[in-house]
């Protein structure tokens, strides 16, 4: 798949680019957020049939097979270059493999709506990381959106932690590490501006995530006997080809085209969708703290859309 190509950004420190992202790309981002939001109830449903490690492994291995077939058919299959391999490994290990394995395991302890809100709180790590590692200053709209995001996460997470038992605390810890893992990959991508995250690299990224997970899953969870259950195939069909092969490509393009803070704030739209669906499907209670937190997160998402505050490419300083 190919998204609308934006004009090339100037990389020289003395030249700053500030060009709007196309409307078609914004539509792709909204679609990706909705698909990933729906993925959380699907993962919760699938955790009844598929062990956590095999769940993550089957998701990325199926996406890898599909990506390789498509790349071969359209003539896009190639080996990554030496400069591209660090990004391929970083995305495959940090954003795909480790993140998914941790959140899938955490769903055994935490409801999907609240879990998605914590896992996608990458702004907690990305905001200080962008300032310390990338030496990037926040624009006024980024600052306001980030404050709303922090406040929303505090309202949602703190009451849950105060009343959590040991099992829930394990789940929250896994989600926090998953969020940190993704944030590290966002910063890695921004530190490697010369590598384009197009479809050419997706087969290798999913393979880097899928093969080690298959080996680890076989070692700790045994043979994939869950494949005998037809419910498992429906779940894998959604989480693999749709929520991985398609959606990761869009999100990786986001990570490369937008600033780290903008990406982390936009990704908070995923748990908003996930929480709404979880409340409808699993009866997850929309308590006052969740509603207030969602309101603050939505405000953080809408602030960049206010006239004069539309999404712009942020030159890394």
């Amino acid at each position: 798949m190919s998204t609308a190509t934006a004009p090339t950004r100037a990389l020289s420190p003395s030249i700053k680019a500030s060009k709007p992202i196309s409307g078609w790309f914004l539509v792709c981002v909204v679609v990706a957020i909705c698909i990933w939001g729906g993925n959380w109830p699907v993962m919760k449903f699938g955790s009844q049939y598929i062990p956590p490690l095999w769940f993550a492994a089957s998701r990325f291995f199926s996406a890898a097979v599909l990506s390789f077939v498509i790349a071969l058919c359209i003539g896009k299959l190639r080996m990554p270059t030496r400069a591209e391999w660090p990004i391929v490994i970083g995305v495959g290990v940090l954003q795909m493999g480790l993140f998914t394995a941790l959140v899938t395991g955490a769903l055994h302890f935490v409801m999907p709506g609240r879990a998605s809100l914590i896992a996608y709180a990458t702004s907690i790590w990305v905001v200080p990381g962008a300032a310390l590692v990338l030496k990037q200053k926040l624009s006024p709209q980024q600052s306001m959106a980030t404050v709303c995001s922090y406040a929303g996460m505090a309202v949602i997470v703190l009451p849950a932690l105060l009343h959590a038992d040991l099992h829930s605390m394990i789940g929250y810890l896994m989600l926090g590490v998953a969020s940190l893992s993704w944030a590290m990959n966002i910063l890695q991508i921004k530190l490697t501006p010369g590598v384009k995250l197009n479809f050419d690299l997706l087969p290798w990224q999913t393979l880097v995530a899928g093969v080690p997970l298959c080996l680890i899953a076989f070692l700790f969870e045994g043979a994939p006997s869950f494949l005998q259950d037809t419910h498992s195939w429906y779940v894998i069909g959604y989480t693999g080809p749709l929520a991985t092969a398609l959606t990761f490509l869009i999100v990786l393009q986001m990570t490369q085209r937008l600033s780290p803070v903008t990406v982390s704030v936009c990704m908070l739209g995923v748990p908003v969708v996930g929480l709404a669906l979880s409340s409808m499907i699993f009866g997850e209670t929309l308590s006052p703290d969740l509603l207030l937190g969602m309101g603050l997160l939505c405000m953080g998402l809408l602030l960049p859309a206010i006239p004069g505050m539309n999404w712009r490419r942020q030159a890394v300083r």
Side-chain angles (χ1 to χ4, degrees):
M1 171 184 170
S2 144
T3 54
T5 302
T8 305
R9 179 180 64 185
L11 297 177
S12 170
S14 61
I15 302 175
K16 296 181 181 180
S18 180
K19 297 180 180 179
I21 299 299
S22 70
W24 171 242
F25 182 71
L26 295 183
V27 170
C28 290
V29 170
V30 172
V31 170
I33 288 173
C34 292
I35 291 174
W36 263 4
N39 196 41
W40 283 86
V42 172
M43 287 194 296
K44 180 67 175 178
F45 175 77
S47 65
Q48 305 172 55
Y49 306 98
I50 310 174
L53 290 174
W54 270 121
F55 200 138
S58 61
R59 173 182 181 179
F60 290 106
F61 190 76
S62 63
V65 171
L66 179 63
S67 299
F68 271 103
V69 170
I70 294 175
L72 183 62
C73 291
I74 64 176
K76 291 282 189 178
L77 185 60
R78 65 173 179 85
M79 285 289 292
T81 66
R82 185 175 180 179
E84 291 170 337
W85 271 115
I87 289 295
V88 169
I89 294 172
V91 171
V93 173
L94 295 174
Q95 188 176 151
M96 293 184 175
L98 183 58
F99 178 88
T100 304
L102 287 169
V103 298
T104 305
L107 286 174
H108 288 269
F109 307 105
V110 184
M111 288 294 285
R114 195 177 293 267
S116 62
L117 287 164
I118 299 171
Y120 280 88
T122 54
S123 58
I124 294 175
W125 314 105
V126 168
V127 171
L132 294 173
V133 179
L134 303 178
K135 309 300 181 184
Q136 196 171 43
K137 294 182 180 180
L138 298 184
S139 65
Q141 63 268 31
Q142 285 180 327
S143 299
M144 288 188 289
T146 301
V147 168
C148 290
S149 302
Y150 269 100
M153 289 306 306
V155 168
I156 290 166
V157 174
L158 291 180
L161 291 177
L162 292 175
H163 300 92
D165 54 21
L166 179 59
H167 283 78
S168 297
M169 289 298 293
I170 293 173
Y172 291 135
L173 178 61
M174 295 172 73
L175 293 167
V177 176
S179 177
L180 174 61
S181 174
W182 192 349
M184 290 170 61
N185 185 235
I186 290 176
L187 295 176
Q188 180 202 11
I189 291 172
K190 298 309 293 186
L191 285 169
T192 318
V195 176
K196 294 184 178 180
L197 297 172
N198 296 325
F199 184 80
D200 305 45
L201 299 184
L202 186 61
W204 301 100
Q205 291 162 347
T206 50
L207 189 67
V208 166
V211 170
L213 282 171
C214 284
L215 295 175
I216 295 171
F218 191 84
L219 181 63
F220 289 97
E221 295 176 347
S225 57
F226 62 88
L227 293 175
Q228 300 175 10
D229 193 323
T230 54
H231 292 92
S232 301
W233 288 100
Y234 299 138
V235 172
I236 293 171
Y238 185 98
T239 60
L242 185 60
T244 303
L246 170 64
T247 314
F248 259 108
L249 179 60
I250 299 172
V251 173
L252 289 172
Q253 290 279 321
M254 269 184 70
T255 304
Q256 192 165 50
R257 296 183 182 202
L258 305 176
S259 76
V261 176
T262 302
V263 172
S264 61
V265 171
C266 290
M267 281 295 95
L268 289 173
V270 174
V272 171
V273 174
L275 183 57
L277 292 175
S278 179
S279 66
M280 292 187 290
I281 298 172
F282 295 104
E284 185 170 359
T285 304
L286 291 176
S287 57
D289 60 320
L290 282 178
L291 290 173
L292 177 58
M294 283 181 63
L296 289 167
L297 292 178
C298 289
M299 189 178 298
L301 289 169
L302 292 174
L303 279 173
I306 296 176
M309 294 185 178
N310 52 330
W311 289 3
R312 304 281 178 177
R313 288 189 187 184
Q314 304 293 325
V316 178
R317 298 175 176 84

